[in-house]
């Protein structure tokens, strides 16, 4: 996984499915995203064919194991980048909003490098930051950022 596999819109679908849990219906996603249900169906089917989403007919959609793993990375990426911008003077709200504009274009390698340089923080301005143990070069460097 490079972190650059999905378009910003598909990333929003993954995040929404992760937030909502199992069996999310097309109409729920459509209402939340403000997009026509046929557009949602097409995008979700593409995510399903790529292995990120399960579709249970008449019940809805949920993330696969691959989708859940990707969602965890998306949250981590958002929180690391928000914390970085907050560190350089933006408020928590400004950081979160600014990161939402560009986060889809930042690779996993860049996030791991930034995270390492920050000492693997465990808390950011948007919430807890989870780390995949294989991404930690020096786990004894973990710090708590306020």
């Amino acid at each position: 996984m490079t972190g650059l596999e999905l378009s910003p819109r598909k990333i929003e679908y993954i995040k929404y499915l992760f937030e909502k849990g199992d069996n999310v219906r097309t109409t729920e996603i459509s209402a939340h995203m403000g997009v026509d249900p046929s557009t949602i169906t097409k995008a979700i089917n593409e995510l399903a064919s790529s292995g990120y989403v399960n579709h249970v007919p008449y019940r809805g959609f949920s993330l696969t194991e691959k989708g859940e793993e990707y969602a965890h990375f998306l949250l981590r990426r958002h929180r690391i980048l928000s914390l970085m911008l907050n560190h350089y003077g933006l408020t928590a709200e400004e950081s979160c909003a600014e990161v939402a504009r560009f986060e889809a274009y930042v690779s996993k390698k860049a996030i791991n490098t930034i995270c390492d340089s920050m000492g693997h923080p465990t808390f950011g301005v948007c919430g807890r930051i989870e780390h995949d143990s294989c991404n930690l070069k020096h786990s004894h460097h973990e710090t708590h950022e306020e």
Side-chain angles (χ1 to χ4, degrees), residues 3 6-8 15 19 27 34-35 38 44-45 48 52-53 83 85 87 93 100 104 106 114 125 127 130 137 141:
L6 301 176
S7 69
K15 284 181 174 181
E19 179 185 304
T27 52
V35 177
S38 64
I44 294 293
N45 285 337
Y52 295 99
V53 174
L83 183 60
L85 292 183
H87 175 79
E93 295 79 22
V106 181
I114 293 166
V125 297
E130 296 182 19
K137 291 180 183 173
H141 283 224

Side-chain angles (χ1 to χ4, degrees), residues 61-77:
F61 302 96
S62 62
L63 294 175
T64 62
E65 188 176 320
K66 178 181 177 179
E68 293 242 350
E69 181 182 317
Y70 206 81
H72 282 284
F73 163 72
L74 296 174
L75 285 175
R76 181 172 169 262
R77 175 168 67 186

Side-chain angles (χ1 to χ4, degrees), residues 6-7 9-10 13 17 25-27 29-30 35-53 55 61:
L6 301 176
S7 69
R9 187 52 129 174
K10 286 182 181 166
Y13 296 149
L17 290 171
R25 296 185 180 278
T26 305
T27 52
I29 302 168
S30 174
V35 177
D36 188 78
S38 64
T39 303
I40 300 294
T41 300
K42 181 177 184 251
I44 294 293
N45 285 337
E46 288 171 9
L47 287 169
S49 68
S50 298
Y52 295 99
V53 174
H55 177 228
F61 302 96

Side-chain angles (χ1 to χ4, degrees), residues 18 68-80 83 108 111-112 115-116 120-124 126-136 142-144:
F18 183 70
E68 293 242 350
E69 181 182 317
Y70 206 81
H72 282 284
F73 163 72
L74 296 174
L75 285 175
R76 181 172 169 262
R77 175 168 67 186
H78 180 86
R79 291 174 180 174
I80 291 291
L83 183 60
K108 185 175 183 180
I111 293 302
N112 288 343
C115 185
D116 189 45
H120 303 287
T122 57
F123 194 78
C126 302
R128 181 165 161 58
I129 300 171
E130 296 182 19
H131 302 281
D132 180 349
S133 60
C134 68
N135 288 334
L136 297 179
E142 278 193 23
T143 60
H144 294 274

